[in-house]
Amino acid sequence: MKQVALLTALSLALVIAGCSSKELTRSKAAKIIRANVHFPDPVTDTMQMGDISIPQTTVEGLFSTPRTGPYLKALSDRGLVKFELKKIETGPAWLGAKQAGLFSAKVTDKGNQYLVGPPPGGLMTGGPRVVKMCDREFDTVTGITMVQPEVGGGAKVEYTWKFDNKTPFEEVAEQAFGAEKTACGPNAQHTGAVLMKLYDDGWRFESVIPNM
């Protein structure tokens, strides 16, 4: 009698385990998305480093330039980029012999931690540099719809993601130009969707569904 009860309990446990592996919960779907859709995903922007020629003859004048001046000053104040006057150049007489400063812009040790990849030209410090601005981070699963792929069962899983982990470079850009004009934009939720497929061992990621 005890043996029959034990076999019944074991069979029930196997049935429950089999059913749980076929159930796609939001927490299970979130785990699969995190493992397959590359979260967190760095968001980058490009900054021009090296020599800057501008009709100003002091660093203070550089920082007073309309539009870009406040941005450059904020980068300097945060200790991310160092600006130095290299020399003053005089233009041709027929253009009024106007003076212009040649400045150098170099990412500091503090700013280096946000650089992505080596500089162009190996050891050269000038030219465009790729800077990390923030991460695309998974937020939450918002819905699961069962579908029928060609073979076996499947599910469309909808989710939201957001910009997070903003770096000082992004904070400075938002301060200077406004969040709506920067790489990471406002702190809004964005949507995405993936297709998952049910196999004998449980649910697996199948593909990203393009935004329409």
Side-chain angles (χ1 to χ4, degrees):
M1 191 72 178
K2 289 182 179 180
Q3 186 176 7
V4 173
L6 180 61
L7 289 173
T8 302
L10 180 59
S11 299
L12 181 60
L14 290 174
V15 170
I16 293 174
C19 291
S20 63
S21 67
K22 294 181 180 180
E23 181 184 6
L24 183 60
T25 63
R26 292 195 176 195
S27 60
K28 186 183 294 184
K31 185 177 180 180
I32 294 173
I33 291 173
R34 287 181 185 276
N36 291 276
V37 191
H38 308 297
F39 288 112
D41 181 29
V43 177
T44 62
D45 202 356
T46 303
M47 296 183 60
Q48 185 68 33
M49 293 290 107
D51 291 344
I52 302 173
S53 181
I54 197 168
Q56 297 288 345
T57 57
T58 65
V59 173
E60 291 73 20
L62 174 68
F63 293 160
S64 68
T65 304
R67 293 187 67 250
T68 59
Y71 174 60
L72 301 180
K73 185 177 187 303
L75 290 174
S76 176
D77 290 344
R78 293 288 291 268
L80 301 171
V81 180
K82 184 176 182 180
F83 299 92
E84 291 183 330
L85 176 64
K86 295 176 65 176
K87 63 180 179 178
I88 298 175
E89 301 173 321
T90 302
W94 62 277
L95 285 178
K98 294 180 179 180
Q99 291 186 324
L102 183 64
F103 299 87
S104 66
K106 183 179 180 181
V107 179
T108 65
D109 290 340
K110 180 179 179 180
N112 275 335
Q113 62 184 303
Y114 305 108
L115 295 181
V116 179
L123 298 178
M124 292 174 55
T125 57
R129 297 304 310 270
V130 179
V131 181
K132 178 180 175 180
M133 306 299 279
C134 67
D135 287 320
R136 288 174 66 252
E137 282 279 9
F138 173 80
D139 187 23
T140 187
V141 171
T142 57
I144 299 175
T145 304
M146 305 311 294
V147 297
Q148 290 296 326
E150 294 180 3
V151 180
K156 175 186 178 182
V157 181
E158 297 173 89
Y159 64 92
T160 57
W161 61 268
K162 59 185 178 180
F163 292 119
D164 204 357
N165 305 323
K166 294 182 178 181
T167 71
F169 282 97
E170 172 64 21
E171 293 171 354
V172 167
E174 290 186 7
Q175 174 188 338
F177 306 118
E180 68 280 358
K181 296 181 180 180
T182 64
C184 298
N187 290 320
Q189 289 185 330
H190 306 264
T191 60
V194 298
L195 179 66
M196 297 185 186
K197 190 175 177 181
L198 179 61
Y199 288 81
D200 60 333
D201 60 349
W203 288 92
R204 300 184 198 173
F205 171 81
E206 195 71 12
S207 63
V208 172
I209 299 175
N211 288 329
M212 302 301 291

